[in-house]
Amino acid sequence: MPHPLDRAVWNALNGRLSHLTTADSTALARRIDPEVGVFLSAADGSDDSCAALDALALAHPGAGMVERSDGPMAGVLPRSVAVDRQVDLVQMTCTDLSPSRAPGGRELAYETLTEADGPAMLALATLTKPGPFRSRTGELGPFIGVRQDGELIAMAGRRLRVDGFTELSGLCTHPDHRGRGLAAALARVVVGEILATGEQAFLHAFADHHDSIAFYRRMGFEVRAPMTYTILAEKPEGRP
């Protein structure tokens, strides 16, 4: 049987996140609400699924697809929307947090972010670019964050969910406040909460961001599989 994380986007949109997909999503292809995220996925590589994928890509521009690079869905793409670019990722999983290397001190003061924090979350994500983030991405959470003088300066949350696994995502720190261990502390809170439910944590990192991969390894994550993030063009265009 295929591993559920081999097709994390499809399994999430067809399962625990199905309530956040567009009204025109079907059993053949699904698109997350564009205000929530960018994800688009097809059930398989059949002609019917590809046609449904095409229809959703045209109806909701700016989609992104994440599939295992060496898997059977790697080349399944919309025919009527051009590929803007493709990015190599690694998928990492964690079953047990490693001991923290942070020096002793006062406990991190963080808060659970709410719908009212949406604009601040979007602004921080737009500045730091941790990955696709939209006006309602916070609904995938919960997200937690740290403020200083009323300004959101760091956050972390959850994104994809499939049976037995929840994704750590949206981890970012304002450039003016890096080097204080905020990202590591917030990530440990989120991962710890995921593991406490009996699930494993997973994430996607850019394959050429070696420092980020090393950061997650120190936390207890290990690389599981190579993935490809395909970013589709905003405008319809024929593709051979």
Side-chain angles (χ1 to χ4, degrees):
M1 292 291 292
H3 193 285
L5 291 186
D6 286 346
R7 304 216 57 215
V9 170
W10 172 255
N11 289 329
L13 298 187
N14 199 48
R16 293 166 66 185
L17 298 185
S18 61
H19 63 291
L20 292 173
T21 57
T22 58
D24 53 351
S25 292
T26 69
L28 296 175
R30 291 189 174 273
R31 170 70 155 97
I32 199 166
D33 186 316
E35 293 184 0
V36 176
V38 301
F39 292 126
L40 170 70
S41 189
D44 51 42
S46 67
D47 288 343
D48 286 345
S49 290
C50 288
L53 184 71
D54 233 37
L56 287 176
L58 287 168
H60 308 284
M65 303 176 66
V66 177
E67 295 288 351
R68 183 160 176 155
S69 306
D70 54 359
M73 295 294 290
V76 178
L77 298 168
R79 299 185 177 93
S80 300
V81 177
V83 171
D84 181 63
R85 64 189 185 279
Q86 291 186 304
V87 182
D88 292 331
L89 306 175
V90 290
Q91 184 183 81
M92 306 182 73
T93 57
C94 177
T95 58
D96 188 31
L97 273 172
S98 63
S100 175
R101 299 182 182 181
R106 63 188 180 85
E107 191 172 336
L108 177 71
Y110 67 88
E111 61 186 78
T112 300
L113 303 177
T114 68
E115 183 179 349
D117 297 306
M121 295 167 67
L122 180 59
L124 181 59
T126 301
L127 175 67
T128 58
K129 297 178 172 54
F133 206 95
R134 298 296 182 264
S135 60
R136 291 172 48 211
T137 298
E139 294 182 20
L140 296 170
F143 277 74
I144 58 175
V146 174
R147 295 185 191 279
Q148 182 167 307
D149 299 326
E151 179 187 10
L152 182 66
I153 62 170
M155 68 177 181
R158 298 157 173 81
R159 187 168 61 180
L160 296 176
R161 289 174 167 83
V162 300
D163 289 345
F165 302 88
T166 294
E167 183 185 22
L168 169 68
S169 186
L171 182 62
C172 55
T173 304
H174 191 287
D176 293 344
H177 299 278
R178 289 174 180 163
R180 296 166 51 185
L182 297 176
L186 290 174
R188 283 183 170 276
V189 171
V190 174
V191 173
E193 291 177 350
I194 292 170
L195 298 179
T197 68
E199 295 191 339
Q200 293 184 35
F202 75 103
L203 58 84
H204 294 98
F206 294 111
D208 60 353
H209 286 198
H210 303 297
D211 288 346
S212 295
I213 293 171
F215 166 83
Y216 290 122
R217 283 188 185 277
R218 289 193 296 271
M219 196 177 300
F221 283 87
E222 292 296 337
V223 173
R224 184 191 162 269
M227 310 294 285
T228 300
Y229 175 34
T230 300
I231 303 165
L232 300 177
E234 292 281 349
K235 296 181 179 180
E237 223 173 285
R239 186 180 69 82

